[in-house]
Amino acid sequence: MNIQYTEEQLAFRDEIREFLRNSLSGELRDKGFREAVLTRDERLGWQRTLYERGWGAPAWPVEYGGTGWNAIQRHIFEEECALAYAPEQLSFGIKMVAPVIQKYATQEQKDRYLPGIISGTDWWCQGYSEPGAGSDLAAVKTSAVRQGDHYLVNGQKTWTTLAQHADRIFCLVRTDPDARKQAGISFLLIDMKSPGITVRPIIMLDGGHEVNEVWFDDVQVPVQNLIGEENKGWTYAKYLLGHERTNIARVGRSKAALKRLKTIAARQPGNDGQPLIRDPRFRDRIAMVELELLALEITNLKLVAADGQQRAPGPEASILKIKGSEIQQVLTELTAAALGPYAAAHVHDPQHHEPEGISDAFPADCYNMAGHYFNYRKTTIYGGSSEIQKTIICKTILGL
């Protein structure tokens, strides 16, 4: 694969860079560099900015408001946004439920939900995992019993990312308890303001509020909120998971983290007093993760190009999920190592404002580095654990 950009592609990259220079505020850029917590308004506001430029959904078909960009253009856009430390787009809406709606929903459902996703009006969250159904999603127990023109939903979802901000949730629910596990599941779209929904925070080790429990107690959901056919939800869930695992690779964000790591290593002293980047062993570790990231980027481009040809992401997405997760973890480990004792510092401030009592010598790079390090332990678990991904690869690619 030739990954050298053409003159047209370089001109496109320059266009993206100019837009980011003019549209991304210094405050947002700084918060992105420090991986600070963004508010709901900041996240949705950036989505509206992209939407107004016509770039609200780079991978969507033009008929739904997409850009019409090819795989390379989308890759360039994602990479430049990451390198500029722009806020990530809300994946649960743009990159997960939207492809399902576009492929399987009725025209009425498309007209109802897609405009709010692309314009930054609606915030979506994902109702997949349950206490007894994490990587084994086919074991979901949240029930949806049809009663006339609505379903009555009862049960619990957990590890629901940013559900405290969400307007809507897409859920896997069990509509046929007597069918085999995969055959009795349906895919429902639910308004988070519906009576009977309770969101309970799960506070992280660093004191942050990122994930939640979502409880459903006799929640009435209109039948017209069902995607596709009843009891066929496993098909739609697998389609969504293919997109999720492709997105989880986060190549652009990892390249930005690698750039940040090199900056820190060039400034922080090693044991001999010289910049850590000059230490052969540490430099070799950086070189190794950079090579793995390059291989991941090439693999990701191949898969994204196939997706652009209207082929759903296949088991190859599991390779991206495994390697992307591992690379993200290694980058946090190396960054923590580069920061040395500063990496252990932790100041609980959900908005990451400058803490009082911290001297000017305290590097901004290491602000809450301990929290980020521990948080990234999750990458090999969510979206399907690495063990699950390896099983998928063995069964569907290797034939074992």
Side-chain angles (χ1 to χ4, degrees):
M1 172 178 282
N2 181 10
I3 60 173
Q4 298 299 317
Y5 293 142
T6 65
E7 291 185 5
E8 292 78 10
Q9 291 165 345
L10 291 173
F12 176 77
R13 185 184 67 181
D14 291 340
E15 180 184 1
I16 301 295
R17 288 180 175 178
E18 181 179 5
F19 166 77
L20 291 169
R21 281 195 298 268
N22 296 333
S23 303
L24 183 63
S25 69
E27 181 181 1
L28 275 183
R29 190 184 300 269
D30 177 65
K31 292 183 79 170
F33 178 80
R34 294 189 291 161
E35 295 189 82
V37 177
L38 299 178
T39 66
R40 172 187 162 92
D41 288 343
E42 286 172 332
R43 296 288 295 268
L44 293 179
W46 179 245
Q47 178 60 35
R48 286 192 289 271
T49 297
L50 294 175
Y51 173 69
E52 291 167 1
R53 181 62 178 82
W55 296 347
W60 287 17
V62 174
E63 63 184 291
Y64 299 122
T67 59
W69 293 342
N70 59 36
I72 299 299
Q73 288 175 307
R74 297 196 300 271
H75 176 76
I76 291 173
F77 174 77
E78 295 278 357
E79 182 174 288
E80 291 303 319
C81 286
L83 293 174
Y85 301 104
E88 289 189 80
Q89 289 184 274
L90 297 170
S91 294
F92 293 118
I94 293 287
K95 299 179 179 180
M96 295 186 196
V97 73
V100 174
I101 292 173
Q102 291 165 9
K103 186 173 179 64
Y104 296 106
T106 66
Q107 188 60 49
E108 180 182 357
Q109 289 171 328
K110 294 175 184 178
D111 294 340
R112 179 181 179 187
Y113 295 114
L114 293 179
I117 295 174
I118 193 173
S119 65
T121 301
D122 292 337
W123 184 307
W124 286 78
C125 61
Q126 182 183 43
Y128 271 28
S129 294
E130 297 180 6
S135 294
D136 182 16
L137 282 177
V140 295
K141 295 182 179 179
T142 296
S143 65
V145 179
R146 183 161 180 174
Q147 297 185 346
D149 59 356
H150 68 269
Y151 289 99
L152 202 62
V153 180
N154 285 277
Q156 176 194 1
K157 298 295 180 179
T158 194
W159 310 120
T160 312
T161 303
L162 300 177
Q164 71 270 28
H165 297 319
D167 301 292
R168 305 181 191 278
I169 183 171
F170 54 92
C171 279
L172 293 184
V173 295
R174 187 158 299 283
T175 44
D176 186 351
D178 298 322
R180 65 183 182 86
K181 291 197 301 184
Q182 290 88 346
I185 294 174
S186 296
F187 195 105
L188 280 185
L189 310 180
I190 304 176
D191 189 332
M192 288 291 285
K193 297 181 180 63
S194 302
I197 293 182
T198 302
V199 178
R200 299 176 183 172
I202 300 175
I203 302 304
M204 309 289 283
L205 184 65
D206 65 354
H209 178 192
E210 181 183 6
V211 291
N212 305 267
E213 297 175 330
V214 180
W215 292 80
F216 301 89
D217 183 12
D218 287 340
V219 177
Q220 294 189 15
V221 181
V223 171
Q224 58 261 37
N225 288 22
L226 173 72
I227 292 294
E229 299 179 45
E230 188 175 282
N231 298 324
K232 299 293 184 181
W234 188 246
T235 298
Y236 318 138
K238 289 191 297 182
Y239 183 78
L240 184 148
L241 284 172
H243 287 273
E244 179 184 14
R245 287 162 185 165
T246 305
N247 298 325
I248 284 174
R250 302 180 85 238
V251 173
R253 298 289 160 176
S254 289
K255 292 179 80 170
L258 176 63
K259 177 182 175 182
R260 181 169 176 254
L261 168 62
K262 289 180 178 180
T263 300
I264 294 171
R267 186 173 62 231
Q268 293 293 104
N271 293 331
D272 59 359
Q274 296 295 313
L276 188 58
I277 196 71
R278 296 185 183 178
D279 183 290
R281 292 184 178 179
F282 197 80
R283 191 169 59 238
D284 286 350
R285 294 175 69 188
I286 294 177
M288 179 61 70
V289 72
E290 186 167 9
L291 287 172
E292 291 187 343
L293 183 54
L294 177 61
L296 178 69
E297 180 180 14
I298 294 172
T299 306
N300 187 63
L301 280 171
K302 290 180 178 179
L303 185 57
V304 170
D307 186 34
Q309 298 166 3
Q310 304 303 312
R311 182 168 67 87
E316 300 90 346
S318 294
I319 299 174
L320 298 182
K321 169 59 171 67
I322 293 172
K323 291 306 300 181
S325 299
E326 293 175 350
I327 288 171
Q328 291 170 56
Q329 290 183 344
V330 170
L331 287 168
T332 60
E333 292 165 5
L334 291 178
T335 302
L339 287 167
Y342 285 117
H346 172 68
V347 179
H348 172 52
D349 180 354
Q351 296 304 323
H352 288 237
H353 297 304
E354 191 65 29
E356 296 182 3
I358 298 297
S359 70
D360 293 337
F362 189 88
D365 308 312
C366 66
Y367 192 80
N368 196 29
M369 184 61 222
H372 293 312
Y373 170 83
F374 286 114
N375 187 275
Y376 273 79
R377 301 311 96 192
K378 70 187 179 186
T379 62
T380 48
I381 300 174
Y382 69 61
S385 68
S386 293
E387 291 79 7
I388 294 294
Q389 306 306 327
K390 290 175 182 178
T391 298
I392 292 172
I393 292 170
C394 287
K395 289 183 177 180
T396 59
I397 299 179
L398 302 179
L400 300 178

